[in-house]
Amino acid sequence: MMQLSIGHLFPDLMNIYADRGNVECLKKRSEWRGIQVSVHQINNEMDLHGVHVDLLIVGGGQDRQQLEASNALQGAVGHFVKHAFENNVVMLAVCGGFQLMGVRYVDADGLEIPGLGIFDMETIHPGRQIRRAVGNIVIETQKGQLVGYENHGGQTYLGGSTEPLGKVLVGHGNNAADDTEGARIETAYGTYLHGSLLPKNPHFADHLIHLACQHYEPGFKLSELDDELEWCAHNGVLKISGRSD
Ligand code: GLN
């Protein structure tokens, strides 16, 4: 039986706009295929020796939580995440968690919050006088359209060695200057899409599960699921965003 281990990074600290749902979605969609799943909470209280994960998931958080998370990332948790990335663990980082996977986040008060530098990017908050990027968002990616909800003040600028996850069709995305959204490098993905992201985008959830299964069984294929409800929710966001064909 295929077994997968999911690491949920800072589950209490970095979890807003239902981001916890991404872990639940990966777990359920794997179990519905007969894959055994274990979920490990990863934070700086835990002894991480011998902990192995195949997928690593982190959600968003307000500036105050990000500072606390960044302090934890300077220690054992940061080494764990970097090691995981170097070993092609499949990663999904959302909003505030995504920003902390870049080189730095300068918060609304101008405080520089160091990141892990997994993505070659930086995020600058232009200050509270500038309207936050809030609302439904639709992006075009190599894996098809993704829909979600964004709510962030920080604006992200990608460097040369990190690709965007997608192109903005509706919404703000990374910044007000270009139409990029998110980031991706190797098997690590970052995005501003909350909601949570994966339940309304089953094709992307399966892409992440499929990637993780390849470590154990190259060529492993996921069986089809009845995703009527998921596509109904997906198309609902397209409709209210004026994108339904
Ligand atoms: N605090 C960050 C910002 O405002 C991230 C917010 C979030 O995770 N939704 O940009």
Side-chain angles (χ1 to χ4, degrees):
M1 176 188 279
M2 176 77 69
Q3 298 181 342
L4 288 179
S5 156
I6 302 175
H8 190 180
L9 187 56
F10 306 127
D12 303 323
L13 200 54
M14 301 293 286
N15 174 48
I16 50 179
Y17 311 123
D19 291 336
R20 177 186 300 277
N22 291 324
V23 173
E24 205 47 37
C25 178
L26 291 166
K27 184 171 183 294
K28 281 279 177 266
R29 295 186 69 82
S30 301
E31 289 170 343
W32 291 334
R33 274 91 173 218
I35 298 170
Q36 207 173 358
V37 177
S38 56
V39 177
H40 299 269
Q41 305 217 338
I42 312 280
N43 55 39
N44 56 2
E45 271 109 50
M46 284 195 49
D47 174 5
L48 295 170
H49 288 94
V51 173
H52 166 80
V53 295
D54 302 300
L55 297 124
L56 194 55
I57 311 298
V58 60
Q62 305 307 350
D63 291 4
R64 193 163 38 78
Q65 282 94 7
Q66 288 175 283
L67 181 57
E68 214 180 311
S70 169
N71 292 340
L73 288 172
Q74 306 317 309
V77 177
H79 295 305
F80 181 88
V81 174
K82 277 197 177 156
H83 178 76
F85 171 66
E86 282 144 18
N87 287 280
N88 294 325
V89 164
V90 179
M91 291 176 60
L92 175 66
V94 175
C95 205
F98 162 48
Q99 294 167 342
L100 290 178
M101 296 303 139
V103 173
R104 67 181 185 139
Y105 168 49
V106 179
D107 78 3
D109 302 317
L111 176 70
E112 178 154 329
I113 299 178
L116 276 186
I118 284 176
F119 297 127
D120 170 16
M121 64 177 218
E122 64 173 12
T123 302
I124 314 289
H125 195 300
R128 290 191 178 80
Q129 75 286 358
I130 305 289
R131 265 169 71 87
R132 289 176 71 79
V134 178
N136 292 306
I137 178 166
V138 181
I139 66 171
E140 188 63 56
T141 76
Q142 287 182 348
K143 294 291 162 199
Q145 281 186 0
L146 300 182
V147 302
Y149 165 78
E150 61 180 332
N151 186 333
H152 56 104
Q155 307 221 351
T156 294
Y157 303 91
L158 302 179
S161 64
T162 294
E163 306 251 325
L165 170 62
K167 179 177 179 296
V168 176
L169 300 175
V170 175
H172 300 264
N174 287 348
N175 57 57
D178 61 32
D179 57 8
T180 65
E181 201 293 315
R184 70 181 185 87
I185 187 164
E186 316 279 342
T187 54
Y189 296 88
T191 181
Y192 275 112
L193 275 63
H194 291 284
S196 45
L197 168 73
L198 298 180
K200 282 193 279 301
N201 298 285
H203 53 313
F204 195 62
D206 285 354
H207 169 62
L208 301 180
I209 299 168
H210 179 257
L211 274 180
C213 293
Q214 302 312 300
H215 291 157
Y216 297 103
E217 208 177 306
F220 181 87
K221 287 214 170 358
L222 296 180
S223 55
E224 290 299 313
L225 293 175
D226 168 2
D227 287 330
E228 192 188 337
L229 276 181
E230 287 80 354
W231 287 112
C232 201
H234 180 99
N235 296 334
V237 178
L238 286 180
K239 193 151 185 241
I240 53 178
S241 309
R243 286 288 314 179
S244 56
D245 306 327

